[in-house]
Amino acid sequence: MENSPAKDLHFIEQIIEEDLKSGKHAAIHTRFPPEPNGHLHIGHAKAICLSFGMAEEYNGLANLRFDDTNPEKESQAYVDAIKKDVSWLGFKWNGGEYYTSDYFEQLYSFALKLIDMGAAYVDHQGPEDIASQKGTPTSPGSDSPYRERLAEENRALFEQMRAGDFPDGHCVLRAKIDMGHANMHMRDPIIYRIKRAHHQRTGNRWCIYPMYDFAHGQSDALEEITHSLCTLEFEVHRPLYDWFIEQLGIFSSRQIEFARLNLSYTIMSKRKLLTLVEQGVVDGWDDPRLPTISGLRRRGYTPESIRSFCNRIGIAKRENIIDVSLLEFSLRDHLNQTAHRTMAVLDPVKLVIVNYPEGNSEQLPSENNPEDESAGVRNLPFSRTLWMERDDFKLEANKKWFRLAPGKTVRLKSAYIVRYVDHVMDADGVLQEVHVEYFENSKSGSDVSGIKAKGTLHWVNAATAIDAEVRLYDRLFNDPAPDGHKDREFMDFLNPHSLEVRTGCKLEASLAEASAGVPYQFTRLGYFSLDAGYATEGRQVFNRAVTLRDGWKQG
RNA sequence: UGCCCUAUGGUGUAAAGGUAGCACACCGGUUUUUGGUACCGAUAGUCCAGGUUCGAAUCCUGGUAGGGCAACCA
């Protein structure tokens, strides 16, 4: 690192480097602290890449900690899903796996300490009274009538709270700070509430649970987290976070906030995502149209592409909406290097090579990936009758049309150059067959025909093709910021065409052996992968993750 | 009628008082047996007004705009 060329560091890296250089910390320790009450999305991926990424970059440790202080909303199923997603992204919690609930006893002692210091009190008022006394952002609050209760009495009451002597909601424990503070969070925040709910880890051992502000910072301290990275909305919590550290005299973690990720044409709020799932707008949390990690995985995104995306978007404190095209670029960039090319026809029309002998067939070699020689070569069966893409033929074509049309000549990828002969339409004018003649000496790899074909078409041999269903996805919303409108609901912007199911697609035979989740490029069409979830016996289903970039300007 | 945060091309993000750079998107071109990839090029930016300075995206003052803050949620 010494004398390293001025690399562009984001503000968190700068803070870390300063802390390392000054000796404040010998090594850094970060954490990713999800509440197990929902599924992770691409926004969490940013946070994961940051917190785990910083630990990797500076040879530190990173913890995975489940912030499970509200048993009513949380479950083990979410814990499992989150662990799966983080692992899939390629991160290891080398600092360990923790649960805030493991600290309940310790947090209880912290509360007792606060009480003994005269810095916390039990309040018997209801939520309405407490709320009204809190004041507003522009007017100060007022003191609770229980605020000056003696420490001994508070201690006894708090012990009774724990012992279960009071019903739910009977009273709360509050930090005694300043009801006139400009920061609402400093106006005697509630730090413990009585709640008889079964906790997935502690069962019924506790009937009081600490609030976020009395759990998160303390957990950071107990794990000696040096840099506690979180999103901007916690900025106003930081004074409280620091206040508890000071009062309790615990390890001084530093909370640093960064702007959360927003992606164009989608939503990131757990609540709104849940609405889509519950109302059946999508198939579930892993619907390929959702920005959830599980959705992206099912869509065909790779962990590498998501991580490179997270590295490209930067870390800063200003609000942002990242263009979804950057995400798509990251996927194409990765898959172009790694995905095997295959041929598939989504909207098939018969292509008959009239001068190719009936009954004949041959095997034509085709490279699996022009970007990667080591990917090897496979043989494609070729014969007189093939499938071609319906929109690769047009009756009236101009000079800019490189595909098939009367008078046009094209190359069939890895095969021969063919020239239009005629076509067949049914009574409704729907194209049934295209007839072409091939040039025998134009065979791919040994072309001595001297004929130049502008366009290259993909095709599939009819006799050996396999049938499949292919699902094409478009953005879920029509608006770049569906939840950014004050006067409209995000559901108003749903894209009715976000899913297009194509049946009767023709795939090259090698795809019969495709495994779920392995991405393929369908030549000229995009990147696709087999979806085991949608498949049924004898029917393959492929999802399109993203199209290829289309540089063709029509018209 | 408060407090906190933020303002750089279309979208993101750098530049720590000294040439406003990079990526995506868009547009044009070269190569191409994927209208893909690769490569080359173009367009395009410091919220406003003052001030300090030889010199300001950067420092100061005042505006303006956007975001956040009043759950026994996290």
Side-chain angles (χ1 to χ4, degrees), chain A residues 361-363 379-383 385-387 459-467 506-512:
Chain A
S361 73
E362 58 188 305
Q363 296 289 327
N379 281 323
L380 295 170
F382 182 88
S383 65
T385 306
L386 312 173
W387 293 109
W459 53 273
V460 173
N461 185 48
T464 52
I466 56 171
D467 282 320
K506 304 292 183 181
L507 275 44
E508 72 169 65
S510 72
L511 254 5

Side-chain angles (χ1 to χ4, degrees), chain A residues 31-297:
Chain A
R31 108 268 92 117
F32 174 64
E35 181 187 14
N37 70 339
H39 290 266
L40 263 25
H41 54 61
I42 184 81
H44 294 108
K46 175 181 181 178
I48 292 166
C49 289
L50 212 217
S51 283
F52 285 112
M54 287 302 91
E56 277 180 9
E57 185 176 334
Y58 294 101
N59 295 312
L61 297 173
N63 295 357
L64 175 62
R65 182 171 73 230
F66 291 95
D67 217 349
D68 55 351
T69 58
N70 187 4
E72 285 173 345
K73 294 185 174 179
E74 299 153 5
S75 76
Q76 185 61 40
Y78 289 127
V79 169
D80 296 339
I82 288 168
K83 285 167 68 174
K84 177 181 176 181
D85 287 348
V86 175
S87 300
W88 178 76
L89 282 172
F91 291 104
K92 294 183 174 59
W93 35 100
N94 62 353
E97 176 181 332
Y98 300 90
Y99 296 80
T100 303
S101 55
D102 289 343
Y103 306 136
F104 281 168
E105 194 63 50
Q106 179 65 252
L107 295 171
Y108 177 77
S109 307
F110 284 151
L112 248 21
K113 179 173 182 180
L114 230 42
I115 289 170
D116 292 343
M117 291 165 60
Y121 61 97
V122 173
D123 196 326
H124 293 279
Q125 298 179 103
E128 300 79 19
D129 289 333
I130 290 179
S132 69
Q133 282 163 14
K134 201 133 201 183
T136 71
T138 54
S139 63
S142 53
D143 289 357
S144 159
Y146 301 95
R147 198 168 194 268
E148 300 307 327
R149 191 135 53 183
L150 294 175
E152 299 74 50
E153 196 182 344
N154 281 317
R155 176 179 258 271
L157 285 167
F158 188 53
E159 282 168 351
Q160 280 185 274
M161 280 171 68
R162 176 185 185 169
D165 293 351
F166 304 126
D168 285 13
H170 180 260
C171 54
V172 294
L173 184 68
R174 291 228 257 170
K176 189 173 173 181
I177 308 179
D178 178 5
M179 290 306 291
H181 203 285
N183 184 331
M184 299 290 290
H185 295 277
M186 298 295 273
R187 320 238 266 226
D188 291 10
I190 293 169
I191 58 178
Y192 263 96
R193 76 282 212 186
I194 303 172
K195 180 180 285 201
R196 284 175 177 77
H198 182 86
H199 188 286
Q200 71 271 18
R201 290 179 63 83
T202 61
N204 297 321
R205 278 213 297 286
W206 293 86
C207 64
I208 58 171
Y209 293 95
M211 300 287 287
Y212 165 83
D213 284 307
F214 199 71
H216 201 103
Q218 287 78 347
S219 302
D220 283 345
L222 291 168
E223 294 169 22
E224 302 201 347
I225 300 301
T226 56
H227 302 267
S228 180
L229 313 178
C230 62
T231 46
L232 246 28
E233 68 266 30
F234 293 101
E235 210 158 21
V236 285
H237 291 251
R238 178 152 35 93
L240 185 54
Y241 182 101
D242 292 339
W243 190 84
F244 285 129
I245 287 174
E246 191 182 330
Q247 295 296 312
L248 297 169
I250 52 181
F251 182 87
S252 178
S253 303
R254 177 172 176 186
Q255 175 180 305
I256 304 170
E257 312 85 13
F258 60 93
R260 68 187 322 149
L261 165 70
N262 295 294
L263 245 197
S264 63
Y265 296 99
T266 192
I267 53 168
M268 220 61 96
S269 137
K270 265 186 197 173
R271 202 197 87 237
K272 289 171 184 164
L273 254 14
L274 182 63
T275 303
L276 293 176
V277 173
E278 284 181 340
Q279 296 194 7
V281 175
V282 295
D283 276 350
W285 285 101
D286 64 346
D287 187 289
R289 291 165 292 181
L290 254 22
T292 51
I293 302 297
S294 50
L296 291 167
R297 177 167 57 229

Side-chain angles (χ1 to χ4, degrees), chain A residues 250-493:
Chain A
I250 52 181
F251 182 87
S252 178
S253 303
R254 177 172 176 186
Q255 175 180 305
I256 304 170
E257 312 85 13
F258 60 93
R260 68 187 322 149
L261 165 70
N262 295 294
L263 245 197
S264 63
Y265 296 99
T266 192
I267 53 168
M268 220 61 96
S269 137
K270 265 186 197 173
R271 202 197 87 237
K272 289 171 184 164
L273 254 14
L274 182 63
T275 303
L276 293 176
V277 173
E278 284 181 340
Q279 296 194 7
V281 175
V282 295
D283 276 350
W285 285 101
D286 64 346
D287 187 289
R289 291 165 292 181
L290 254 22
T292 51
I293 302 297
S294 50
L296 291 167
R297 177 167 57 229
R298 191 166 189 186
R299 174 78 171 251
Y301 271 81
T302 59
E304 292 89 340
S305 66
I306 293 174
R307 278 188 271 124
S308 83
F309 169 75
C310 289
N311 288 332
R312 289 175 210 269
I313 58 179
I315 301 293
K317 297 191 76 162
R318 63 190 97 103
E319 296 292 332
N320 59 79
I321 301 181
I322 308 285
D323 199 319
V324 69
S325 65
L326 184 61
L327 215 212
E328 295 174 342
F329 167 82
S330 302
L331 211 221
R332 290 192 191 105
D333 192 41
H334 180 230
L335 259 25
N336 178 50
Q337 303 298 324
T338 55
H340 282 201
R341 274 60 170 170
T342 57
M343 292 214 274
V345 176
L346 302 191
D347 189 0
V349 165
K350 273 226 164 95
L351 177 66
V352 181
I353 300 161
V354 293
N355 60 338
Y356 195 89
E358 208 134 2
N360 263 25
S361 73
E362 58 188 305
Q363 296 289 327
L364 301 174
S366 187
E367 53 191 347
N368 286 323
N369 185 350
E371 306 294 319
D372 177 11
E373 214 175 295
S374 71
V377 168
R378 72 193 183 290
N379 281 323
L380 295 170
F382 182 88
S383 65
R384 178 184 167 94
T385 306
L386 312 173
W387 293 109
M388 68 171 283
E389 206 71 63
R390 181 171 298 275
D391 62 9
D392 277 340
F393 179 83
K394 191 153 84 170
L395 220 40
E396 287 166 40
N398 61 19
K399 273 190 180 148
K400 292 192 167 175
W401 181 258
F402 295 169
R403 314 175 189 179
L404 266 178
K408 295 279 183 181
T409 297
V410 299
R411 171 171 294 279
L412 298 179
K413 172 73 181 168
S414 298
Y416 300 92
I417 292 177
V418 298
R419 182 167 64 195
Y420 170 87
V421 174
D422 64 7
H423 63 276
V424 179
M425 282 186 176
D426 67 9
D428 300 324
V430 178
L431 186 69
Q432 297 299 309
E433 293 184 9
V434 177
H435 294 175
V436 296
E437 59 184 359
Y438 85 117
F439 299 93
E440 196 175 354
N441 60 355
S442 69
K443 187 170 176 172
S444 184
S446 57
D447 183 356
V448 293
S449 69
I451 302 170
K452 287 217 171 97
K454 276 247 182 176
T456 301
L457 268 39
H458 61 279
W459 53 273
V460 173
N461 185 48
T464 52
I466 56 171
D467 282 320
E469 174 181 313
V470 174
R471 296 182 166 225
L472 309 177
Y473 301 100
D474 197 359
R475 41 190 58 145
L476 232 200
F477 296 94
N478 287 320
D479 189 90
D483 58 357
H485 299 264
K486 288 196 170 79
D487 51 334
R488 306 267 306 266
E489 265 300 303
F490 73 100
M491 294 285 267
D492 293 351
F493 299 100

